[in-house]
Amino acid sequence: MLHCIPAAARPADTLRVSSALEELPIPSGCYSVLEDPTGRLTLADVQRPATARQFVRGDQRPSTMERAGAAYWLRLVVHANGSLNQHWYLELFDSHLNDIIFYPSASTEQGAIHTGADHRLASRRFPYKNFLFRLPLEPNRSHTYYLRLSSNSKTSFVSRLRTEQPLAVHFQTEYGLLGAFYGVLLIMVVYNLCLYLFIGEQTYLRYVLYVLSCSLVFLSEDGLGFQYLWPNFPELNQLIIAGSPILLLLTFSYYARQFLDAPQRLPRYDPWVRRVVLISVGVLLLDTWWLHSGWGFWFYLLPYGMLYYAAFRVWQRGFRPARFFLLAHALVATSVCFLILRKLGIHTFTNTVTVYSMNVAFVVEVVVLSYALGEKIKSIRDATIRAQDKLVKQLRKKHVAQNMLVEQLRQNQELKDQLNSELESLVAQRTEELRRQSDTIAAQNRELLQANGLLALQSAAIEKLNLELQRDLQEVKTARVLSKEVDFGEFSQIYPDKDACLRYLANLKWTDGYRCRKCGHEKYCDGRELYSRRCTKCRYVESATAYTLLQKCKFSIIKAFYAVFLIYTHKGNYSSQELSRVLDLRQGTCWSFSQKVLEAMRRRRHAPDFDENEGWTHVLLDATSVEHEESMAEESSAQA
């Protein structure tokens, strides 16, 4: 068995091996550590008395390389008791150590082995995923071995001494189990890829990407990828070690969200999950390539926790396959806890079971998730079958209804045939009757032709009388308008709409011909407004209401016509209250317009061409008030 020699009997850190032993773990109390922050110390430097006294027992300092990038010297003293019948080997379990120099002799640097994750696999004496060094031991002598270690990340000094026989057994067992592990992953990849190719369900493809990412993580973690797949590309190995966990996070979220139907089942929660995953990936990439904090693995907890919570919520809502998701990832979460403890340098639970617990957990997860995926597809298929059965039942009901409809149509056809035969006989009888009646009608038509000649003459006379009657009626209405005997309804028949009023006003305004007010030109064309005229020379446009009593009128032109009519025919003795009632306008508006009409009537009486018998429409052409308003506006603007 392994034992450290007590301080009173031997120097500290001495290990004893003998032919009776085959394997020895190296506890932290049986080696000493020297930290070299500069990374410049040589083998001769660390053996000088002043520097050698700075070595610290492994159990008196943290069991991890706390400062990333610094060099750490390990001193290990091994004493061979008697002759040895097998060779002894030192195995370092951490395959991610960037640079390792093993000095088989403490007196010289000659024969030193320089290897590490930053070097090709050919730099190792033994092409093994872990670092393996042969210890040259002589019987009954103590040998001091030095190792110079350097790593870009925090790692531990976990190691073990083994002889050839247990090492071969360990190789066989370890590689057999790892082969079975990767074989299961390969089977799952091929199986689900075939399902995707045959079924076309995208969940299978996402699952394949997730399993491939898991495989890449394990190949980089246990060193088999560097040993077998890319032994001559250490830079690629470092890239895969750093990037494969980030890729795993992406593919897992990509698969888990679709497996759980999160966008449909959790429409408000799923966008947050997607954002957190993308932000975590960005932070992890930043930490991996620039910050190198060593705590990047903590950023995996939030997105994984949110996805696990999403699975719990979906399971609560009745999605049964989610329970397998929760079970599988509970095992993975447990194994990840062991990994985090090892990353933090806590080796209380470090043993063969916990080290390979993640492999076992992922195998169980892959199998369980594959079964859960199958159950999900089965539930979808069952739901499809139920929907199809429901559709078949509906089709059967529709078929029965169609049969009933066909029978009804057949009966209707029989009834129609019977009715047609009866109608044919009735038509024959009726045809004979009509033939007899047509002869009678033909005789009567001849008589009617003679009568029509007389009626034509009478119709012409009646039409002539109707025209004269309509003309007389129009004249009577106009006479009634002029004699103050019409109400607004009858007045509206004379001037039914704005178009009629504007047309009448335009004809009245330009009775003597058109002459432009700006340039005096006498030729015009129609303007954009109704019955407006535009000068063809200066382009000046004059509307029908411009320079008339109705310019800038704020209410309907029909009501304005009627108001002028009422005020004029009553000789100005028409109150604004009565006018407001008749026209349905505000009294203030009616009063202002009445004053405007009264003023126009007064000016018209003093006009030289005034006639006592002239009609009310002459007042409409009064433009003096408009010109007065424009002159007042020009004077006020000039004074301003």
Side-chain angles (χ1 to χ4, degrees):
M1 62 177 291
L2 172 68
H3 61 282
C4 294
I5 301 176
R10 61 166 177 83
D13 308 325
T14 300
L15 286 171
R16 289 185 177 274
V17 296
S18 63
S19 58
L21 298 175
E22 293 185 343
E23 186 174 0
L24 292 175
I26 302 178
S28 58
C30 294
Y31 61 83
S32 54
V33 181
L34 172 66
E35 182 178 351
D36 177 16
T38 64
R40 298 177 181 178
L41 295 179
T42 62
L43 179 62
D45 293 335
V46 299
Q47 293 186 81
R48 290 173 183 164
T51 308
R53 286 192 296 270
Q54 297 179 14
F55 275 88
V56 181
R57 285 170 56 98
D59 56 355
Q60 296 178 359
R61 68 175 312 284
S63 59
T64 57
M65 300 170 65
E66 293 294 324
R67 188 175 301 175
Y72 288 82
W73 289 82
L74 264 67
R75 184 177 64 193
L76 178 66
V77 181
V78 181
H79 182 81
N81 292 333
S83 60
L84 304 176
N85 53 7
Q86 294 191 71
H87 296 292
W88 283 85
Y89 297 87
L90 171 65
E91 180 180 5
L92 299 179
F93 290 103
D94 193 344
S95 61
H96 298 160
L97 292 168
N98 294 85
D99 190 78
I100 302 175
I101 303 179
F102 173 68
Y103 299 94
S105 174
S107 58
T108 179
E109 294 185 359
Q110 187 176 2
I113 300 173
H114 193 182
T115 184
D118 289 344
H119 304 270
R120 295 186 177 185
L121 189 70
S123 64
R124 308 180 188 184
R125 295 290 177 86
F126 304 97
Y128 178 45
K129 67 184 187 67
N130 296 336
F131 299 104
L132 195 64
F133 306 100
R134 181 179 172 182
L135 301 180
L137 294 174
E138 297 181 9
N140 298 315
R141 287 191 58 186
S142 295
H143 296 77
T144 302
Y145 302 101
Y146 288 90
L147 286 96
R148 184 184 181 276
L149 308 178
S150 179
S151 178
N152 292 334
S153 60
K154 296 179 181 180
T155 185
S156 59
F157 305 122
V158 179
S159 56
R160 181 181 290 268
L161 295 180
R162 284 177 173 157
T163 58
E164 294 171 344
Q165 182 63 29
L167 194 61
V169 174
H170 174 72
F171 285 173
Q172 183 177 5
T173 303
E174 184 179 24
Y175 279 87
L177 293 175
L178 290 175
F181 169 70
Y182 288 109
V184 171
L185 296 184
L186 180 62
I187 290 172
M188 291 296 108
V189 167
V190 174
Y191 171 71
N192 287 279
L193 185 60
C194 291
L195 288 177
Y196 167 72
L197 295 176
F198 284 116
I199 299 177
E201 173 62 36
Q202 277 202 0
T203 309
Y204 286 109
L205 179 61
R206 299 189 180 201
Y207 182 69
V208 167
L209 295 176
Y210 168 58
V211 175
L212 289 176
S213 300
C214 292
S215 304
L216 197 62
V217 170
F218 282 106
L219 286 172
S220 63
E221 187 68 27
D222 56 29
L224 286 181
F226 188 50
Q227 181 178 352
Y228 291 109
L229 301 180
W230 49 84
N232 297 322
F233 302 98
E235 296 83 2
L236 177 62
N237 186 53
Q238 296 297 328
L239 178 64
I240 293 175
I241 290 173
S244 58
I246 303 175
L247 179 62
L248 177 62
L249 174 60
L250 277 176
T251 55
F252 174 69
S253 64
Y254 183 67
Y255 158 72
R257 290 175 51 250
Q258 188 179 29
F259 173 80
L260 298 171
D261 295 332
Q264 293 77 29
R265 299 178 185 274
L266 302 172
R268 295 184 179 179
Y269 183 72
D270 180 69
W272 287 102
V273 175
R274 187 168 62 252
R275 294 189 191 100
V276 169
V277 169
L278 294 177
I279 292 173
S280 300
V281 168
V283 173
L284 288 169
L285 289 173
L286 182 65
D287 181 73
T288 301
W289 303 114
W290 285 282
L291 300 180
H292 304 294
S293 65
W295 299 95
F297 59 88
W298 292 108
F299 292 104
Y300 291 94
L301 299 181
L302 180 58
Y304 278 112
M306 293 184 69
L307 288 169
Y308 197 82
Y309 177 71
F312 180 74
R313 289 280 303 276
V314 169
W315 173 66
Q316 279 187 327
R317 297 187 179 187
F319 185 59
R320 291 177 57 82
R323 67 186 189 276
F324 297 106
F325 187 92
L326 294 171
L327 173 63
H329 287 283
L331 298 175
V332 175
T334 304
S335 61
V336 169
C337 290
F338 292 131
L339 175 63
I340 293 175
L341 290 176
R342 291 198 300 273
K343 291 285 185 180
L344 295 175
I346 302 173
H347 297 283
T348 306
F349 303 100
T350 302
N351 52 52
T352 304
V353 175
T354 58
V355 169
Y356 291 101
S357 62
M358 184 173 291
N359 298 69
V360 177
F362 267 97
V363 168
V364 174
E365 181 201 30
V366 166
V367 175
V368 170
L369 287 183
S370 181
Y371 176 77
L373 186 58
E375 184 180 0
K376 178 185 177 182
I377 300 301
K378 179 178 178 297
S379 63
I380 295 175
R381 185 192 63 187
D382 293 340
T384 304
I385 291 175
R386 287 194 298 269
Q388 290 176 349
D389 291 340
K390 185 177 179 180
L391 180 61
V392 167
K393 291 180 180 178
Q394 292 177 352
L395 290 175
R396 286 177 180 173
K397 293 180 180 179
K398 184 178 180 181
H399 183 67
V400 172
Q402 287 178 345
N403 290 337
M404 295 175 63
L405 180 61
V406 169
E407 179 64 23
Q408 185 66 35
L409 291 174
R410 186 186 63 79
Q411 295 176 3
N412 292 343
Q413 184 65 31
E414 292 178 354
L415 182 60
K416 184 182 72 173
D417 294 340
Q418 181 180 358
L419 291 174
N420 285 338
S421 60
E422 294 177 357
L423 287 173
E424 287 176 358
S425 61
L426 292 174
V427 167
Q429 297 175 5
R430 187 62 177 168
T431 302
E432 181 62 25
E433 294 177 0
L434 290 175
R435 187 187 63 79
R436 291 194 300 268
Q437 292 177 0
S438 65
D439 295 339
T440 305
I441 292 172
Q444 293 176 352
N445 283 337
R446 288 191 293 271
E447 297 176 358
L448 289 174
L449 288 174
Q450 298 175 358
N452 284 339
L454 297 175
L455 289 175
L457 296 175
Q458 294 177 357
S459 297
I462 291 172
E463 185 176 356
K464 181 179 180 181
L465 290 174
N466 285 336
L467 292 175
E468 294 176 354
L469 182 60
Q470 290 179 359
R471 185 170 58 254
D472 293 341
L473 181 61
Q474 183 68 23
E475 292 176 355
V476 168
K477 287 183 178 180
T478 305
R480 291 188 65 191
V481 169
L482 298 176
S483 61
K484 305 186 294 185
E485 296 181 1
V486 296
D487 57 10
F488 185 67
E490 292 179 331
F491 188 86
S492 298
Q493 294 179 3
I494 305 300
Y495 306 101
D497 51 21
K498 179 180 179 181
D499 183 271
C501 294
L502 290 175
R503 181 172 64 251
Y504 179 80
L505 187 59
N507 294 333
L508 184 65
K509 180 179 178 180
W510 289 299
T511 302
D512 298 330
Y514 171 80
R515 185 178 182 85
C516 179
R517 294 179 181 270
K518 297 295 183 179
C519 65
H521 194 64
E522 295 181 352
K523 292 185 179 180
Y524 68 92
C525 60
D526 294 337
R528 291 187 178 181
E529 297 182 4
L530 287 174
Y531 302 104
S532 63
R533 299 186 180 184
R534 181 172 59 183
C535 178
T536 57
K537 182 178 180 181
C538 66
R539 316 293 292 178
Y540 172 73
V541 178
E542 183 176 345
S543 65
T545 59
Y547 303 101
T548 69
L549 187 65
L550 302 183
Q551 182 174 351
K552 299 181 181 180
C553 183
K554 303 300 183 180
F555 51 91
S556 169
I557 190 172
I558 302 172
K559 293 183 178 181
F561 265 46
Y562 191 52
V564 174
F565 168 74
L566 291 176
I567 297 171
Y568 186 86
T569 54
H570 287 81
K571 297 182 178 180
N573 298 322
Y574 204 86
S575 66
S576 59
Q577 292 89 348
E578 184 65 19
L579 192 63
S580 173
R581 183 189 63 80
V582 172
L583 299 181
D584 193 19
L585 296 173
R586 293 189 304 107
Q587 183 180 353
T589 303
C590 293
W591 183 86
S592 299
F593 190 74
S594 298
Q595 297 301 314
K596 191 175 181 181
V597 174
L598 291 174
E599 182 64 21
M601 290 172 62
R602 184 187 62 79
R603 287 192 295 271
R604 182 60 188 163
R605 290 192 196 98
H606 293 86
D609 59 343
F610 175 72
D611 184 3
E612 290 289 342
N613 297 321
E614 68 181 13
W616 62 274
T617 55
H618 285 75
V619 181
L620 296 175
L621 298 180
D622 181 75
T624 307
S625 61
V626 177
E627 296 173 354
H628 179 69
E629 290 177 1
E630 290 181 351
S631 62
M632 290 294 290
E634 291 177 357
E635 290 178 1
S636 62
S637 61
Q639 291 175 1

